[in-house]
Amino acid sequence: MVEMMPETPESRQLQWKRLLLNCRRGNAEVEHLLSAYCQGLNPEEPAQAAQLPILEALLAEDDQTLFEWLLQPDSEGADAPDAFTPLIEAIRAGYLST
């Protein structure tokens, strides 16, 4: 049985740092979008800390799927699961606002 760490500011900070490392991808475009978004997160802010598990699940997807979801939203087969849609839109909006 895996023992879960209690939710603390330190554990959220560690999760955020792990996600930053997971943003490193084989696809430069995807890496750029994900890294920029993740670096802008503040794991101490409750609303943003709540996004960390969803971001972790998104980062588990392969590069080609992420490329389609993030950069080719109108292509056939690029429909992201509903759970990821708000996060993908936030990643795109964050990139476009810079």
Side-chain angles (χ1 to χ4, degrees):
M1 184 166 123
V2 176
E3 194 172 316
M4 298 295 292
M5 285 181 25
E7 181 75 18
T8 64
E10 292 83 15
S11 68
R12 284 191 302 273
Q13 191 74 15
L14 285 173
Q15 181 183 20
W16 176 71
K17 287 180 180 181
R18 189 174 55 250
L19 293 175
L20 277 173
L21 287 174
N22 288 336
C23 287
R24 299 185 74 179
R25 312 302 281 204
N27 183 302
E29 293 86 357
V30 171
E31 180 177 332
H32 183 73
L33 284 169
L34 292 173
S35 294
Y37 179 78
C38 202
Q39 288 173 356
L41 287 178
N42 178 2
E44 301 303 319
E45 187 176 315
Q48 292 184 8
Q51 292 181 0
L52 296 180
I54 300 168
L55 180 58
E56 188 169 17
L58 181 71
L59 292 174
E61 297 292 335
D62 64 85
D63 287 353
Q64 186 59 39
T65 300
L66 290 173
F67 183 84
E68 290 175 4
W69 291 348
L70 292 169
L71 298 165
Q72 298 177 330
D74 297 330
S75 68
E76 193 171 315
D79 293 329
D82 291 340
F84 294 148
T85 302
L87 178 58
I88 289 170
E89 289 174 0
I91 291 169
R92 282 191 206 132
Y95 177 75
L96 293 174
S97 68
T98 59

